[in-house]
Amino acid sequence: MTTEAVANATQVPEAWQGFNLGKWNEEIDVRDFIQRNYTPYLGGEEFLAGPTEKTTSLWETLEKDYLSEERKVRILDVDTHTPTDIDAFKPGYISEQDDVVVGLQTDSPLKRAMMPNGGWRMVETAIHEAGKEYDPAVKEIFTKYRKTHNDAVFDIYTPNIRAARSSHIITGLPDAYGRGRIIGDYRRVALYGVDYLIAQKQKDKDSVVGQPFSEHWARFREEHAEQIKALKKLKNMAASYGYDISGPAKDAHEAVQWTYFAYLASVKSQDGAAMSIGRLSAFLDVYFERDLKAGKITESRAQELIDNLVMKLRIVRFLRTIAYDQIFSGDPYWATWSDAGFGDDGRTLVTKTSFRLLQTLRNLGPAPEPNITIFWDENLPEGYKDFCAAISIETSSIQYESDPQIREHWGDDAAIACCVSPMRVGKQMQFFGARVNAAKALLYAINGGRDEMSGKLIVPDHQGVEGDGPLDFDDIWEKYEQMLDWVVGTYVEALNIIHYCHDRYAYEAIEMALHDKEIVRTMGCGIAGLSIVADSLSAIKYAKVYPIRDESGLVVDYRTEGDFPIYGNDDDRADDIAATVVHTVMSKIRAIPLYRDAIPTQSVLTITSNVVYGKATGSFPSGHRKGTPFSPGANPENGMDTHGMVASMLSVGKLDYNDALDGISLTNTITPQGLGRTKEEQVANLVGILDAGFLADESCVEDATKGF
């Protein structure tokens, strides 16, 4: 059988009939299957279908009976008796018509489940905030008999970590909830079926038999045993809905359903900070094309399947506290769906299903979830670029990332976890690390380790600025570097502890079951407040900055005389400071040993948590006021970029992507009227901005146009 033969022989499973064979049918390799079988689409939107009557009816039921009621109370319902698991709940449906893509996290739409393996305190708080009472028996189990991830973390935390955490120089650590940033290759369930995956995981587990005992040896076998158990639970869960997923999907409907069951298992068992679904369009399109050519489905049915899959993604919910919602500015779960871009062979990965995904924003209306992420390249098909721009203008629900950057570093089967974090699907995971407040660290340097908000000494043995004269740039930079040694060291120590404990007490068995035997692990560090640091250091260097102290001698404000260059206006003087800060922090991270030999990465990302960071931080030499929000991600300071969008893109482009391989976020807001008077002008101009921006700003990994 040649590698390019068409699968029609009797020894080939029925589910694979009509597919081009290759490496993928000899071992697990979804990318090889896609590359040999997908059909690039170079046309426009004219083939698309609107919503079916069933889709409209289901969405109206969701809106009337569930979503509208949830908006009145924040949390609609909570199951307070059942610690969640993949197969913990009986089947749930939206209505009797809910039979296109089935499966809910619990037994009712929007009912949230407890995930106490992460930590009981967060669960109990969230239940009370939802107006419910917890089950005393469940509390007893998770406070008396079963140690949680959160318990373990706080057993190990050092005094430095506790001080940094309470003073908010480090915020949002995943020490009481799932870490997220792990994308199971959910496509594997559809392509191979669960029985084959179980058999392969058993082989993987036994592959180390005969090797000398070591901690790695024992953990490897134990983790694979947990993965096998999770795959068996996945089969049980699907069977409760009437589906046997032991074998590969035989048609487009099963491919969508099998893939969703795999994702559903992950959100039933983990409440990660980002639960991305990966990169599905080209994969699912192979099944759609085969069924369409065979006359088994119509375009309306294909769209109905994607609409109903997206509908289910939109109603994923986790039991969160109000404090968590404040950190993340709402209740996001980042079911990020990555799409488009190019393959390494030069063919576009745009398919008709890429269009179908965007069409859901018309058929169901705009929504932030799933977080649709387009891998942009100026050479994408013109019809698709125009359609993306049109949907962006209509819905403000798409984000864009640089395909050349992602493909160069992470390959052509990469996807985004959360907002900007790229990884190879099924071959890589991230130890999510929230962010360190790099701006607040500058204030600590000036105040000798005292917190500018509370006055408490957080970092001992650091000499602050003396006197009331103008701040000296070289002196401040030296103090800042010394402070970063303590802050970064404390931050990374916390991350090592968190992920050690997470692997022991809240392991993501089903997500890891959909990964290779050996994977790449990255440590996803991050910084907040970049623009404030850059502008403040620029003010110190190019203007005169006088500290203003309170009665205790604490510097609480600044008087700045003279002009200084501002980051975000394509001025090398300020932009180089920003790039140096990013490089300096990354260099300090690289110098520290990481848990499980993870590869250190960094993001410049605060799309949601910039408000919380601002509340916990004082005033700056740049003029940024105490308690006010930071600008998001790598954006210029709010209102300080005066040279237009392209200038801000050029400034961000000077940040070295090698110092921020976890992603760099630039969020731009444009009104449709600002793009032109007619729809055609608006579409053409937005496409032009994206093309020019990504060309001029090759280091910028994200350019989100959400917020029209």
Side-chain angles (χ1 to χ4, degrees):
M1 187 182 300
T2 66
T3 58
E4 294 298 332
V6 176
N8 54 19
T10 56
Q11 66 266 36
V12 174
E14 177 188 351
W16 293 349
Q17 296 291 317
F19 292 151
N20 294 320
L21 300 181
K23 182 181 176 184
W24 67 269
N25 66 292
E26 299 170 356
E27 60 184 67
I28 295 174
D29 192 336
V30 179
R31 179 192 175 274
D32 183 65
F33 167 77
I34 294 170
Q35 289 294 316
R36 293 179 185 275
N37 288 283
Y38 87 100
T39 304
Y41 180 64
L42 306 181
E45 63 178 283
E46 59 276 358
F47 72 94
L48 288 168
T52 64
E53 182 178 343
K54 181 174 288 187
T55 296
T56 300
S57 177
L58 277 174
W59 188 244
E60 288 176 350
T61 298
L62 268 175
E63 174 59 34
K64 176 178 176 292
D65 295 344
Y66 298 100
L67 293 168
S68 63
E69 295 301 311
E70 182 187 56
R71 287 192 284 269
K72 298 175 185 176
V73 294
R74 179 176 168 266
I75 292 180
L76 184 64
D77 196 9
V78 181
D79 185 303
T80 61
H81 303 285
T82 312
T84 191
D85 203 348
I86 294 168
D87 56 356
F89 291 93
K90 294 180 180 179
Y93 300 89
I94 298 170
S95 72
E96 292 183 355
Q97 288 186 302
D98 185 10
D99 61 0
V100 179
V101 178
V102 301
L104 300 176
Q105 284 175 288
T106 59
D107 57 3
S108 179
L110 308 186
K111 181 190 286 187
R112 307 187 190 215
M114 298 182 292
M115 296 190 181
N117 287 339
W120 176 256
R121 183 179 58 179
M122 184 173 184
V123 169
E124 183 175 327
T125 301
I127 289 173
H128 282 159
E129 290 174 348
K132 305 288 183 178
E133 293 296 327
Y134 63 81
D135 186 331
V138 177
K139 179 176 181 178
E140 183 179 23
I141 291 170
F142 287 94
T143 57
K144 185 176 181 180
Y145 301 110
R146 208 285 188 186
K147 190 171 187 177
T148 68
H149 161 58
N150 187 247
D151 292 334
V153 165
F154 276 86
D155 281 349
I156 304 174
Y157 268 172
T158 64
N160 283 355
I161 296 172
R162 287 175 178 264
R165 192 178 183 277
S166 63
S167 69
H168 305 293
I169 196 164
I170 304 173
T171 299
L173 292 170
D175 51 17
Y177 59 91
R179 54 190 166 192
R181 302 283 183 90
I182 301 173
I183 308 174
D185 190 353
Y186 305 112
R187 306 167 300 186
R188 295 184 181 190
V189 173
L191 184 56
Y192 298 106
V194 175
D195 283 356
Y196 180 78
L197 299 179
I198 290 173
Q200 293 303 113
K201 282 298 176 182
Q202 187 63 52
K203 289 181 181 179
D204 292 342
K205 178 187 175 185
D206 292 338
S207 66
V208 297
V209 172
Q211 295 180 10
F213 178 87
S214 67
E215 183 178 350
H216 171 75
W217 181 91
R219 178 166 55 189
F220 180 90
R221 284 186 54 79
E222 182 182 27
E223 288 182 349
H224 278 76
E226 291 300 311
Q227 293 171 22
I228 292 168
K229 293 175 187 175
L231 287 168
K232 292 177 179 178
K233 291 179 182 179
L234 170 60
K235 280 183 64 175
N236 292 339
M237 183 263 287
S240 73
Y241 283 96
Y243 287 92
D244 177 5
I245 62 172
S246 58
K250 297 185 291 295
D251 55 34
H253 175 228
E254 289 190 353
V256 172
Q257 183 66 70
W258 273 219
T259 302
Y260 173 62
F261 275 144
Y263 179 75
L264 181 61
S266 74
V267 296
K268 278 176 171 283
S269 56
Q270 286 290 329
D271 62 343
M275 300 295 287
S276 300
I277 198 167
R279 195 166 185 167
L280 305 182
S281 294
F283 173 77
L284 294 177
D285 196 77
V286 175
Y287 291 86
F288 285 129
E289 285 294 299
R290 185 179 66 172
D291 284 7
L292 284 164
K293 288 177 182 177
K296 293 181 178 180
I297 62 172
T298 62
E299 178 56 39
S300 181
R301 174 60 171 173
Q303 186 64 53
E304 182 179 61
L305 287 166
I306 295 299
D307 284 345
N308 280 260
L309 173 59
V310 167
M311 191 186 306
K312 291 297 168 64
L313 298 181
R314 290 189 181 187
I315 57 173
V316 170
R317 295 291 186 273
F318 295 115
L319 181 61
R320 307 290 203 190
T321 63
I322 292 173
Y324 178 97
D325 289 357
Q326 290 174 342
I327 291 174
F328 294 99
S329 297
D331 188 19
Y333 44 96
W334 287 293
T336 304
W337 183 323
S338 304
D339 206 350
F342 281 86
D344 290 339
D345 62 1
R347 293 183 298 161
T348 181
L349 285 160
V350 171
T351 63
K352 285 188 175 181
T353 301
S354 302
F355 281 78
R356 295 178 185 120
L357 174 62
L358 297 183
Q359 179 74 349
T360 66
L361 294 167
R362 284 178 172 166
N363 289 353
L364 302 177
E369 300 284 1
N371 181 26
I372 297 174
T373 300
I374 305 303
F375 288 180
W376 190 268
D377 186 294
E378 67 165 338
N379 297 311
L380 287 174
E382 292 300 324
Y384 183 68
K385 289 165 65 175
D386 289 347
F387 191 56
C388 286
I391 295 294
S392 285
I393 292 168
E394 292 173 22
T395 69
S396 303
S397 299
I398 307 175
Q399 71 174 18
Y400 297 90
E401 318 244 352
S402 171
D403 182 62
Q405 284 286 351
I406 292 171
R407 193 169 68 253
E408 176 185 350
H409 289 87
W410 309 107
D412 63 2
D413 195 37
I416 299 298
C418 191
C419 301
V420 297
S421 303
M423 60 188 65
R424 298 175 188 267
V425 178
K427 301 179 180 300
Q428 180 181 338
M429 67 161 286
Q430 181 193 111
F431 293 138
F432 168 57
R435 280 157 289 282
V436 65
N437 191 333
K440 194 176 182 73
L442 178 62
L443 302 184
Y444 274 31
I446 292 170
N447 276 309
R450 290 177 67 192
D451 188 87
E452 76 285 355
M453 303 291 278
S454 67
K456 293 180 180 179
L457 181 64
I458 303 298
V459 187
D461 304 321
H462 280 262
Q463 181 64 47
V465 170
E466 297 179 351
D468 297 323
L471 300 179
D472 178 75
F473 177 82
D474 292 334
D475 177 59
I476 295 298
W477 179 257
E478 181 179 1
K479 287 179 167 57
Y480 185 48
E481 273 224 69
Q482 293 171 356
M483 185 57 61
L484 286 175
D485 287 334
W486 186 94
V487 171
V488 171
T490 302
Y491 174 44
V492 175
E493 184 176 60
L495 297 183
N496 283 335
I497 291 169
I498 287 167
H499 293 293
Y500 166 81
C501 294
H502 212 294
D503 277 350
R504 291 192 66 189
Y505 298 100
Y507 180 64
E508 301 91 342
I510 189 62
E511 292 167 87
M512 299 312 300
L514 301 173
H515 279 72
D516 290 353
K517 176 175 69 172
E518 296 285 359
I519 63 169
V520 173
R521 293 176 175 85
T522 61
M523 185 69 79
C525 305
I527 61 171
L530 176 63
S531 61
I532 300 172
V533 176
D535 290 349
S536 293
L537 288 171
S538 177
I540 294 168
K541 185 172 184 178
Y542 295 104
K544 289 187 177 181
V545 176
Y546 298 87
I548 299 173
R549 302 177 185 272
D550 65 11
E551 59 276 6
S552 71
L554 184 73
V555 178
V556 294
D557 206 348
Y558 303 87
R559 186 178 84 255
T560 300
E561 298 179 354
D563 297 327
F564 54 94
I566 301 294
Y567 166 74
N569 293 287
D570 193 24
D571 188 320
D572 286 346
R573 295 172 296 170
D575 298 344
D576 288 350
I577 292 174
T580 300
V581 169
V582 174
H583 178 74
T584 299
V585 173
M586 190 64 235
S587 296
K588 295 181 185 300
I589 294 169
R590 288 191 180 107
I592 302 171
L594 299 178
Y595 172 62
R596 296 187 83 163
D597 298 321
I599 298 170
T601 62
Q602 178 178 214
S603 65
V604 187
L605 169 66
T606 44
I607 288 178
T608 57
S609 53
N610 45 301
V611 175
V612 172
Y613 279 98
K615 287 182 178 179
T617 308
S619 296
F620 285 85
S622 64
H624 185 93
R625 305 311 301 163
K626 172 183 175 180
T628 58
F630 288 5
S631 60
N635 274 47
E637 178 70 333
N638 297 322
M640 301 286 272
D641 50 328
T642 59
H643 288 61
M645 185 183 297
V646 174
S648 69
M649 290 178 172
L650 290 167
S651 290
V652 171
K654 295 170 191 174
L655 306 178
D656 189 344
Y657 183 49
N658 291 300
D659 288 328
L661 287 172
D662 193 39
I664 303 169
S665 167
L666 173 64
T667 304
N668 281 319
T669 301
I670 320 168
T671 62
Q673 294 76 16
L675 290 168
R677 290 173 293 182
T678 67
K679 181 69 173 291
E680 290 73 20
E681 286 180 350
Q682 292 170 2
V683 167
N685 287 333
L686 181 54
V687 168
I689 288 172
L690 289 168
D691 283 346
F694 281 119
L695 277 175
D697 187 29
E698 293 181 354
S699 293
C700 178
V701 178
E702 179 192 59
D703 177 22
T705 60
K706 291 182 177 181
F708 280 122

